[in-house]
Amino acid sequence: VTVLVIGHADQRGDEQINRELSEHRASTVVDYLAYRGINPTRLSMRGAGETDLLTLGDDASALALNRRTEFVFFGVLL
């Protein structure tokens, strides 16, 4: 099983900064998983910035939904 970690940012702020923030968010999660014993060769990451928003709202709960990390698992048979 391999995992792609995708970091996201909300729609506030500069697009480039949001891209960097989302990359940092994903990288931090990958580092944590490797620290906890997951083989780093099974992990990859990318930052999506403010693309792929879950909501266009601008209240606190809507912005929090957009600041997230997603996991995509490859090689899992259910």
Side-chain angles (χ1 to χ4, degrees), residues 37-55:
I38 305 297
N39 185 336
T41 63
R42 299 172 70 188
L43 303 169
S44 61
M45 51 87 36
R46 75 175 174 90
E50 58 191 65
T51 62
D52 197 23
L53 299 173
L54 292 178
T55 178

Side-chain angles (χ1 to χ4, degrees), residues 1-3 5 8-9 15 19 23 30 33-34 37 43-45 52-54 57-59 62-63 66 68 70 73:
V1 175
T2 59
V3 180
V5 179
H8 295 270
E15 185 176 335
R19 170 77 60 185
E23 289 171 357
V30 166
L33 293 173
L43 303 169
S44 61
M45 51 87 36
D52 197 23
L53 299 173
L54 292 178
D58 62 355
D59 60 16
L63 293 170
N66 290 328
R68 68 192 189 281
E70 295 178 335
F73 294 87

Side-chain angles (χ1 to χ4, degrees), residues 22-36:
S22 66
E23 289 171 357
H24 179 71
R25 183 170 281 131
S27 177
T28 300
V29 170
V30 166
D31 290 347
Y32 175 77
L33 293 173
Y35 170 77
R36 297 297 295 173

